[in-house]
Amino acid sequence: MLINGQWQKKWDPVQKQDKEGRFIRQTSSFRQRLDATSVLRLKNGERPYTLYVALICPWATRVLIARSLFGLEEYLPVKIVAPALTDYGWQFTDFPGATPKDEVEFHYMHELYTLSDPSFTGRATVPVLWDNENRCIVNNESADLLKILNDDLRELHQHPFQLRPQSLVAEMDTLDERIYRKLNNGVYQAGFAQSQTAYDEAYANIFSMLDELEERLAHQRYLLGEQLTESDIRLFVTLARFDVAYYGIFKANRQQISDFTHLNRYFHDLIQIDAFAKNTNIEHIKTGYYSIKALNPTQIIPKGPHLDWFKYLK
Ligand SMILES: N[C@@H](CCC(=O)N[C@@H](CS)C(=O)NCC(=O)O)C(=O)O
């Protein structure tokens, strides 16, 4: 991580832990939104922003899926880091599916953070919405970026779509918060637990949430009913990484998503939507998680599993 703008030691996956060994994720620090002037500039053909992402990262992939669903690709170009977390954090290399390094002016993601704030202290995370002219981070919080895409850039949507319908927002926020705590972030709490107690607690949370979602999806197509919402995107990115990465490397191994009837049906429904399929990259996901040296010192990447839904990937 960066301390006072200086890269410290080697990259370490464990961000912070409490006294029982529970993993604690840092809060995001750049939280600006886009205004009418930004929309006008984009409409007039200017391209003042770039989205920096990792395809391994579920939080970044939420944003990529929404960007594709709304048809905002042409307005927000992306730069993709290599999947492996190096001793210097995210890096730009010629890994297949990443942005070739001669198309990126930076070597490491942390350079964007120190340009934005020369005394930045914290982790250099993705996703990042970058201001190309002022050379600073606009926003590095995926929950905000989803709102920027859904609300701030509404006028530019090529496919009109409402991911946060007013009538459902309150229910979505409550459900999203629980799914985040027990499952989206719960898998990281299992993987990066520093004690048996912290792992056991995370494992119980993950599977009680999956059991609850299995029951919920027995009665309805999507999480909130018949309409696809942001909550589905948030859940999807975790499900897409579960059997290929979390089950093995994070020891979230009571069962796989493909073992659940309704969750598996729901996942198959979503993966057949173009915006979901084209932003799911199995090579990046596997290489990324299995490159975490603290969890996998040999760096060997498993060959399997081979799942039936891979046939839908682009
Ligand atoms: N709150 C952030 C979290 C982003 C985050 O934790 N990204 C991870 C990748 S999945 C990251 O970049 N980690 C780099 C690091 O920890 O050094 C968001 O949702 O946008």
Side-chain angles (χ1 to χ4, degrees):
M1 65 183 277
L2 288 163
I3 296 182
N4 260 325
Q6 299 298 315
W7 188 261
Q8 300 294 310
K9 304 189 293 175
K10 289 184 174 168
W11 182 83
D12 174 356
V14 181
Q15 316 206 331
K16 240 191 196 170
Q17 51 174 299
D18 69 8
K19 56 181 191 323
E20 272 80 45
R22 297 188 191 93
F23 160 87
I24 303 175
R25 188 176 292 279
Q26 90 175 7
T27 49
S28 305
S29 31
F30 300 93
R31 308 293 298 265
Q32 263 174 266
R33 297 281 295 259
L34 296 185
D35 60 11
T37 315
S38 313
V39 174
L40 199 64
R41 292 183 66 192
L42 287 161
K43 246 187 182 164
N44 289 340
E46 291 180 55
R47 294 294 173 262
Y49 308 109
T50 303
L51 201 53
Y52 282 84
V53 295
L55 301 181
I56 154 192
C57 173
W59 326 113
T61 305
R62 292 169 167 185
V63 182
L64 289 174
I65 293 173
R67 168 180 169 270
S68 298
L69 267 178
F70 292 132
L72 288 171
E73 278 113 330
E74 65 162 301
Y75 296 106
L76 290 178
V78 292
K79 300 260 190 242
I80 304 169
V81 297
L85 271 153
T86 71
D87 287 344
Y88 298 92
W90 299 117
Q91 190 180 7
F92 295 96
T93 72
D94 291 331
F95 190 93
T99 306
K101 62 174 193 264
D102 59 5
E103 291 174 23
V104 192
E105 58 173 317
F106 307 110
H107 288 106
Y108 299 103
M109 200 59 209
H110 67 73
E111 295 167 50
L112 285 80
Y113 280 78
T114 44
L115 277 168
S116 307
D117 173 2
S119 57
F120 182 81
T121 293
R123 306 180 71 89
T125 58
V126 286
V128 155
L129 182 66
W130 176 250
D131 180 328
N132 301 327
E133 275 162 29
N134 297 310
R135 295 171 67 71
C136 61
I137 297 175
V138 179
N139 201 305
N140 71 334
E141 170 51 49
S142 62
D144 289 355
L145 292 168
L146 286 169
K147 292 189 179 119
I148 291 176
L149 298 185
N150 189 68
D151 302 333
D152 304 359
L153 300 184
R154 177 146 293 271
E155 264 187 74
L156 304 173
H157 288 185
Q158 306 297 301
H159 314 128
F161 214 81
Q162 179 51 270
L163 282 179
R164 298 178 57 79
Q166 207 42 53
S167 57
L168 298 177
V169 156
E171 192 186 345
M172 284 168 61
D173 287 348
T174 312
L175 183 64
D176 291 348
E177 190 281 319
R178 294 185 54 244
I179 298 179
Y180 174 82
R181 192 164 31 83
K182 297 180 77 170
L183 181 62
N184 304 133
N185 199 44
V187 288
Y188 286 86
Q189 290 194 300
F192 297 142
Q194 299 297 298
S195 69
Q196 186 70 45
T197 312
Y199 165 76
D200 291 351
E201 186 181 280
Y203 180 97
N205 278 334
I206 293 166
F207 289 99
S208 73
M209 182 44 76
L210 287 174
D211 289 341
E212 181 184 326
L213 294 171
E214 170 75 354
E215 169 61 21
R216 188 178 184 102
L217 290 164
H219 310 290
Q220 56 198 51
R221 181 160 187 203
Y222 297 124
L223 278 182
L224 274 297
E226 290 309 297
Q227 183 177 355
L228 181 81
T229 64
E230 186 188 299
S231 303
D232 296 299
I233 298 182
R234 289 167 168 264
L235 174 59
F236 171 86
V237 294
T238 296
L239 299 183
R241 285 156 181 72
F242 204 93
D243 296 358
V244 289
Y246 303 151
Y247 182 93
I249 192 100
F250 283 174
K251 309 186 188 84
N253 55 5
R254 193 189 81 187
Q255 70 203 94
Q256 298 195 318
I257 300 306
S258 48
D259 299 326
F260 287 91
T261 308
H262 305 293
L263 268 169
N264 193 38
R265 184 276 306 154
Y266 166 79
F267 180 77
H268 276 69
D269 249 18
L270 295 178
I271 194 70
Q272 291 179 67
I273 301 171
D274 196 58
F276 290 75
K278 74 178 185 208
N279 291 302
T280 302
N281 185 316
I282 299 300
E283 283 322 304
H284 277 237
I285 293 172
K286 280 212 287 199
T287 308
Y289 286 105
Y290 280 94
S291 76
I292 301 174
K293 282 192 199 140
L295 301 181
N296 184 25
T298 62
Q299 306 274 288
I300 293 168
I301 301 167
K303 284 270 181 225
H306 299 286
L307 299 165
D308 65 334
W309 53 265
F310 290 176
K311 63 178 178 280
Y312 300 121
L313 301 178
K314 310 279 164 187

